[in-house]
Amino acid sequence: MSDLLSHRLALLAEHPNLPLLLQCLHGIERECLRVDGHGELALTPHPRALGSALTHPKITTDYSEALLEFITGTEIDPERTLAELDAIHRYTYSKLGDEFLWSPSMPGHLPEESQIPIAEYGSSNIGRLKYVYRQGLALRYGKTMQCIAGIHYNFSLPEALWSVLQADEGDDRPQQDYQSWRYIALIRNFRRYSWLLMYLFGASPALDASFMRGRSHQLEQLDEDTLYLPWATSLRMSDLGYQSNAQAGLTPCYDDLPSYTSSLHKAVSTPYHEYAALGTKDADGNWQQLNTNVLQIENEYYSNIRPKRVTASGERPLHALRARGIQYIEVRCLDINPFLPLGIDVSEARFLDAFLLFCALQQSPCLVEGECRASNDNFLKVVKEGRKPGLELRRGGENITLQAWASELVDEIGKVAALLDQSNGDEQHTLALAAQRAKIADSALTPSAQVLDALRNNGESFSEFALRQTRQHADYFRSHTLPEADMAWFDGTARDSLAQQAEVEASDTQDFDSFVADYQRSLTRLASP
């Protein structure tokens, strides 16, 4: 353990500071596809009974009309976050009729791309903007890739904890700047060590053969309908996912917040020749992408982790970050565990807390070019062959086995887990850590290995396995109905969201072309940090 990490842990263990660890905030976003009883993509509209996908605070859609996204609030205890996520699932199932929520991250058999419905958000300008943005994603990357689902884990440390660390360091910059600087340091460490999360929690070693749409690949055939890699942990996070020549050269600088926002600003304001050749409108004058830049908007950049700040209505994420600094981070590389009804459980959440706090407290020098490349290579190696016996990664210019490095990391993270348990007065984080340590000793315990074991032992294709898990989880949620008061709250929220959408649509006075032009001009406010 580094001297700096030891010092910071000792500082936070002091009596006045220890309660600050109880104030970390957690939120979860879980995506999942609606499917019919055969596991085929639902082609029905977003259920009106769930409210407006544009304005509902808890239930919306992501890319496709069939790709639901559930959003929890923030809680200091991840158990409460998961309890809210559970309630959202149960409410949704009460309104789904004979449809289901697909359990894994990778989709089952999909219809032809032309039949995959893009999410609709009504006739308002902001609703149309969201739709055109998704048309742009289809144009640039294809619709199939947009049907992959995942879990996003949002995490923040309390401002008072940052203040303690800042005072200890004698740092005299504004508190907001110090906090942003330290969150960027957390992100750098996340990039160094996130391969560990893919080994421990990756759960997509196989996929339905139709997903490849006839494209060339290096996957192996498990059965007639299933492709896989024998040692893979997360094909979802491999280069089978988003293929983007435009984004290939886009690696935002994580030295500090101004350099990060500047690199993304350049991407959302620089035209890309292939997109320019397509134009913003098709031959009939219909919008098909918001602009022809490397990124249409900031969120088009597909990163494993993002610095975040809650935005005001109509405010661009980059503007919020530059104006008010980083508020929390969003971990985006987590697969949905198909063996768990929610796709994640409290043991995983508690390990994530210890891991992220370790990333925040461990020393984090800037990434030089060689280390940046090695971090990317390590991540991709683990998602494709993370369970391969004797697999070696690169650390400090030298080779080290995954098992040796993982064991060292978990030992260090264990010190953080112990501190979290000290603040909570229990052993929950230490127990969560022990569960992960067991996976390092025996890769058969990882979700990715368990998925492949289930396919082989049951003689199932990927989609057959996924549908079986989907039905099991549906039975679980449908047999645990919500209390009447909770049902009434969700029903009221759904009605309110539909009314809010109607108000937004009625209040629009500007034509859509002018609205998009104004939205693009908002970039000029981002031109300088």
Side-chain angles (χ1 to χ4, degrees):
M1 185 162 59
S2 72
D3 291 342
L4 182 59
L5 178 61
S6 297
H7 172 76
R8 287 171 173 167
L9 290 175
L11 176 67
L12 295 178
E14 293 176 4
H15 181 69
N17 301 330
L18 194 60
L20 295 175
L21 294 170
L22 298 174
Q23 298 174 29
C24 295
L25 290 175
H26 315 78
I28 294 176
E29 302 160 36
R30 189 252 167 110
E31 303 159 341
C32 50
L33 287 168
R34 283 187 297 115
V35 299
D36 64 21
H38 303 289
E40 299 281 338
L41 189 74
L43 302 180
T44 51
H46 181 68
R48 186 173 175 82
L50 295 178
S52 164
L54 179 68
T55 55
H56 198 293
K58 304 294 182 184
I59 303 171
T60 183
T61 50
D62 195 306
Y63 170 77
S64 172
E65 188 77 347
L67 184 57
L68 288 168
E69 182 174 5
F70 301 149
I71 305 166
T72 74
T74 54
E75 297 282 355
I76 59 174
D77 186 345
E79 278 198 34
R80 294 173 62 178
T81 306
L82 290 166
E84 182 182 3
L85 186 62
D86 179 78
I88 298 171
H89 279 75
R90 286 193 275 165
Y91 179 77
T92 299
Y93 259 115
S94 76
K95 306 297 182 182
L96 278 190
D98 58 0
E99 293 181 348
F100 296 85
L101 302 176
W102 191 246
S103 283
S105 280
M106 299 304 292
H109 182 268
L110 292 172
E112 293 299 315
E113 286 229 346
S114 61
Q115 292 182 272
I116 296 175
I118 296 174
E120 299 268 5
Y121 298 94
S123 61
S124 68
N125 282 331
I126 188 63
R128 290 183 64 192
L129 184 106
K130 290 167 72 74
Y131 178 77
V132 172
Y133 166 63
R134 285 157 176 78
Q135 283 184 303
L137 296 179
L139 190 71
R140 296 171 177 214
Y141 315 109
K143 292 182 175 182
T144 299
M145 301 301 171
Q146 316 297 326
C147 293
I148 301 172
I151 283 178
H152 299 167
Y153 194 78
N154 300 317
F155 178 82
S156 69
L157 283 73
E159 291 186 0
L161 188 150
W162 291 124
S163 296
V164 167
L165 295 173
Q166 183 175 8
D168 179 68
E169 293 174 25
D171 191 298
D172 60 0
R173 77 186 89 184
Q175 196 272 339
Q176 173 183 305
D177 294 346
Y178 174 83
Q179 178 173 312
S180 293
W181 177 66
R182 290 298 304 275
Y183 271 122
I184 290 290
L186 184 164
I187 290 172
R188 286 198 299 270
N189 275 337
F190 185 91
R191 297 192 67 216
R192 289 181 172 103
Y193 307 130
S194 55
W195 57 264
L196 179 63
L197 300 183
M198 307 320 298
Y199 175 83
L200 297 174
F201 303 114
S204 54
L207 47 82
D208 191 280
S210 66
F211 180 83
M212 299 310 300
R213 304 282 193 192
R215 290 179 292 144
S216 61
H217 59 80
Q218 296 180 318
L219 301 177
E220 299 179 22
Q221 199 91 28
L222 186 65
D223 59 40
E224 184 179 354
D225 300 311
T226 306
L227 298 172
Y228 82 117
L229 285 177
W231 308 112
T233 63
S234 177
L235 295 178
R236 165 180 169 263
M237 294 305 299
S238 75
D239 49 13
L240 293 174
Y242 293 100
Q243 298 290 323
S244 171
N245 292 328
Q247 288 197 29
L250 174 59
T251 303
C253 178
Y254 291 103
D255 287 347
D256 52 36
L257 181 58
S259 58
Y260 170 81
T261 56
S262 293
S263 59
L264 276 191
H265 175 263
K266 181 179 179 181
V268 295
S269 55
T270 302
Y272 184 66
H273 61 95
E274 289 185 17
Y275 304 156
L278 295 168
T280 54
K281 296 182 179 181
D282 62 21
D284 297 322
N286 300 310
W287 282 90
Q288 60 180 357
Q289 55 181 340
L290 290 176
N291 55 51
T292 60
N293 299 332
V294 174
L295 303 177
Q296 296 174 92
I297 62 174
E298 300 92 310
N299 287 349
E300 190 175 333
Y301 176 57
Y302 298 114
S303 55
N304 297 339
I305 184 171
R306 283 179 185 162
K308 300 278 283 190
R309 158 68 61 176
V310 173
T311 57
S313 178
E315 184 180 30
R316 297 190 73 129
L318 279 180
H319 185 268
L321 285 173
R322 282 186 170 173
R324 300 185 300 284
I326 301 173
Q327 184 179 19
Y328 64 98
I329 54 95
E330 177 189 40
V331 174
R332 301 170 50 80
C333 59
L334 299 172
D335 281 353
I336 296 167
N337 186 328
F339 297 104
L340 302 174
L342 298 177
I344 183 174
D345 62 12
V346 71
S347 178
E348 180 175 344
R350 296 207 189 283
F351 180 83
L352 287 170
D353 288 354
F355 176 84
L356 293 169
L357 189 56
F358 164 76
C359 288
L361 299 178
Q362 174 67 298
Q363 59 188 359
S364 180
C366 289
L367 291 159
V368 295
E369 183 178 347
E371 189 183 12
C372 198
R373 189 183 312 112
S375 296
N376 292 336
D377 291 347
N378 287 340
F379 187 91
L380 289 173
K381 184 176 282 191
V382 173
V383 300
K384 285 187 173 181
E385 49 183 357
R387 288 177 291 104
K388 185 176 181 179
L391 181 71
E392 292 187 335
L393 305 178
R394 294 288 287 177
R395 182 180 70 176
E398 298 179 350
N399 289 350
I400 182 172
T401 65
L402 179 148
Q403 264 67 28
W405 193 0
S407 296
E408 290 179 21
L409 276 176
V410 170
D411 285 344
E412 293 197 325
I413 296 167
K415 300 290 197 285
V416 180
L419 184 63
L420 286 168
D421 284 345
Q422 187 180 344
S423 68
N424 281 278
D426 58 31
E427 297 181 318
Q428 295 302 310
H429 294 87
T430 300
L431 291 172
L433 205 77
Q436 308 317 317
R437 197 186 300 275
K439 294 179 187 175
I440 296 169
D442 183 2
S443 66
L445 299 176
T446 60
S448 55
Q450 292 176 336
V451 168
L452 293 181
D453 284 346
L455 299 184
R456 294 184 177 114
N457 294 340
N458 296 313
E460 293 174 309
S461 69
F462 166 75
S463 289
E464 288 170 339
F465 158 78
L467 183 57
R468 178 166 60 83
Q469 294 299 122
T470 293
R471 287 183 171 276
Q472 284 182 11
H473 296 156
D475 290 343
Y476 166 79
F477 289 120
R478 285 176 167 146
S479 65
H480 293 77
T481 55
L482 281 177
E484 285 187 19
D486 292 346
M487 284 292 294
W489 184 89
F490 276 106
D491 284 340
T493 302
R495 287 192 300 271
D496 290 346
S497 69
L498 292 168
Q500 290 166 16
Q501 178 178 329
E503 290 174 11
V504 171
E505 292 172 349
S507 64
D508 271 351
T509 57
Q510 191 176 27
D511 66 273
F512 184 63
D513 285 17
S514 299
F515 180 81
V516 175
D518 285 348
Y519 184 79
Q520 304 297 354
R521 276 194 291 272
S522 69
L523 275 176
T524 60
R525 292 187 294 143
L526 303 170
S528 58

